[in-house]
Amino acid sequence: MESPGGNNRMRELAAKLRINQTLPDSELKEVLSETEQEALEVLYEHARQQCQLHYGKKIYARGLIEFTNYCRNNCYYCGIRRGNQNVQRYRLSKEEIFSCVQEGYALGFRTFVLQGGEDLGFSAKDIGEIICRIKQSCPGCAVTLSFGEWEREVYQYWYDCGADRYLLRHETADEEHYRILHPEEMSLLKRKECLAQLKEIGYQTGAGFMVGSPGQTLDTLIADLRYLQQLQPHMAGIGPFIPQKDTPFAKEASGTLVMTLKLLAVVRLMLPKVLLPATTALGTIHPQGREMGILAGANVVMPNLSPVSVRKQYQLYDHKISTGEESAQGRQLLEKRVHSIGYELCMCRGDSKM
Ligand code: 5AD
């Protein structure tokens, strides 16, 4: 039986969160612990309304190009970690990257996300040339980099070349949890420094974290939310952790759909104008995951523009979807899905309203 009491409590908390854009830790934990579907619908409804207030019923599409799966890092969760001997490594040439962009441009995309592992096979200058060329040949396009941790001077140089945005998930804002997820040579402090620098330089900056990663607790999630409040990123990437068979976390459980949806809704209410992707990982753990994400406050999708021949090799986690409507070529399918829940797909630049 549904308890009307629980429902009323969620009405109170969600409304308070929406008005104040914050809640005390104890109340945030209450929200994140809710399991009753009716109460959760109340939370999602508030998040949806808040999103529509700023972005209407537009869902922004970004074309994702996974341009290299070489990586110098060895994060325990990630399928393209340095130590994984079972990945077939690839690195797209400048020409290949550029032809993905042209294909995307012809399909109507006006924003491109260049994502890759931290690959020293590309010099800063190589990346700069790619940015310049895209900006010159696709007027009005936004270029987003998602390429990890580099020196401030390098970030500045790419910005000067014309890069508009940078995505760098913080992964967790809790020091101990960070140590569970990463080897000794990596540091949360460094990650936060990079994010602060990116923002200072002028990038539209994206942070974010996985849901259900090993060692994550309500307390570490509160730390993530507080960090986002403090950083005020333009985008927050939030998707479920999904184990990858060749990583130390192969036997760990996936993050859940419901916890991911709750966090999307809470982040929408805390940072009303943030861009919030309904991630590929969410679409991987449930066939309607991304639609549910949108109905919980997400407003961005990132279809894949990488060459089909390399998609299987960009396996951050197992069973990653890559050839259906999440691919850029499946734009009609994606459009249909977005329409089916009463939204429209927008191929515009989709700048943040912050
Ligand atoms: N499951 C889900 N997301 C993952 N990422 C890396 N590995 C996994 C995984 N096993 C996410 C990280 C990274 C982004 C590019 O992909 O959060 O920042």
Side-chain angles (χ1 to χ4, degrees):
M1 257 274 289
E2 176 51 41
S3 73
N7 223 327
N8 286 339
R9 178 67 176 153
M10 184 58 95
R11 276 181 207 291
E12 183 185 329
L13 292 174
K16 188 171 159 190
L17 176 57
R18 185 171 172 184
I19 292 163
N20 299 334
Q21 292 169 34
T22 192
L23 284 178
D25 289 359
S26 60
E27 292 180 346
L28 280 175
K29 287 186 191 175
E30 254 187 87
V31 172
L32 294 179
S33 307
E34 181 62 63
T35 56
E36 290 296 335
Q37 190 55 34
E38 273 187 52
L40 291 174
E41 287 301 335
V42 170
L43 175 69
Y44 302 154
E45 169 73 24
H46 274 279
R48 253 187 334 257
Q49 283 182 14
Q50 188 66 293
C51 189
Q52 284 170 30
L53 192 65
H54 301 293
Y55 293 100
K57 289 208 147 187
K58 289 195 173 84
I59 302 300
Y60 297 138
R62 278 77 159 100
L64 179 65
I65 301 166
E66 297 157 336
F67 68 97
T68 173
N69 71 353
Y70 284 87
C71 192
R72 64 177 164 189
N73 291 327
N74 218 11
C75 310
Y76 301 131
Y77 46 86
C78 186
I80 63 166
R81 64 199 301 270
R82 177 183 77 221
N84 185 358
Q85 306 283 330
N86 291 330
V87 216
Q88 215 186 321
R89 303 284 170 175
Y90 73 90
R91 177 181 292 134
L92 300 185
S93 67
K94 287 181 195 164
E95 284 312 313
E96 285 171 314
I97 295 172
F98 199 65
S99 71
C100 292
V101 169
Q102 283 185 313
E103 188 178 350
Y105 195 80
L107 286 163
F109 287 88
R110 292 298 175 265
T111 148
F112 300 98
V113 181
L114 301 181
Q115 185 174 92
E118 288 183 20
D119 179 3
L120 293 168
F122 285 93
S123 68
K125 193 156 163 284
D126 289 328
I127 301 292
E129 280 170 23
I130 296 165
I131 298 163
C132 284
R133 185 154 170 210
I134 298 174
K135 293 296 281 195
Q136 272 167 17
S137 58
C138 304
C141 279
V143 171
T144 305
L145 297 176
S146 174
F147 192 44
E149 297 178 354
W150 302 91
E151 297 294 304
R152 188 195 175 104
E153 292 67 33
V154 174
Y155 287 151
Q156 181 70 57
Y157 168 64
W158 292 336
Y159 187 77
D160 296 339
C161 289
D164 302 276
R165 308 176 180 150
Y166 205 104
L167 309 181
L168 182 66
R169 289 188 178 176
H170 65 281
E171 313 296 358
T172 174
D174 179 275
E175 193 61 59
E176 268 176 55
H177 186 211
Y178 189 91
R179 291 269 65 92
I180 296 178
L181 300 179
H182 302 95
E184 204 48 54
E185 69 260 20
M186 292 182 72
S187 119
L188 177 57
L189 200 65
K190 170 85 183 116
R191 180 60 58 118
K192 288 180 169 174
E193 255 171 40
C194 286
L195 280 158
Q197 289 169 356
L198 289 162
K199 252 201 121 192
E200 272 169 31
I201 290 169
Y203 283 98
Q204 292 180 37
T205 304
F209 56 91
M210 294 175 288
V211 177
S213 60
Q216 187 172 68
T217 62
L218 281 182
D219 286 303
T220 68
L221 284 169
I222 299 294
D224 289 320
L225 296 173
R226 298 299 178 211
Y227 175 67
L228 292 180
Q229 279 185 312
Q230 179 221 315
L231 180 69
Q232 293 286 314
H234 301 85
M235 179 179 266
I238 298 170
F241 161 76
I242 304 172
Q244 203 283 337
K245 61 178 173 34
D246 304 307
T247 63
F249 291 162
K251 296 280 177 299
E252 302 285 338
S254 285
T256 67
L257 175 70
V258 174
M259 188 52 114
T260 308
L261 296 176
K262 285 190 275 196
L263 282 155
L264 287 171
V266 166
V267 169
R268 169 60 65 208
L269 294 171
M270 284 184 144
L271 293 90
K273 295 183 179 174
V274 78
L275 292 164
L276 214 46
T279 60
T280 305
L282 191 54
T284 297
I285 59 165
H286 189 287
Q288 262 85 52
R290 277 163 309 165
E291 287 90 329
M292 291 190 251
I294 292 168
L295 294 173
N299 66 336
V300 174
V301 287
M302 295 190 183
N304 201 322
L305 276 177
S306 312
V308 176
S309 57
V310 302
R311 283 191 197 165
K312 288 271 171 291
Q313 282 130 263
Y314 202 81
Q315 279 260 355
L316 303 184
Y317 46 82
D318 287 336
H319 312 299
K320 180 165 166 256
I321 50 176
S322 69
T323 52
E325 61 289 336
E326 72 289 344
S327 76
Q329 290 76 6
R331 177 178 154 193
Q332 261 87 24
L333 267 168
L334 181 66
E335 207 145 25
K336 230 172 109 182
R337 280 186 175 230
V338 166
H339 283 162
S340 77
I341 51 170
Y343 286 76
E344 54 181 303
L345 195 64
C346 185
M347 305 297 286
C348 56
R349 267 178 66 108
D351 284 294
S352 128
K353 311 259 178 187
M354 291 178 72

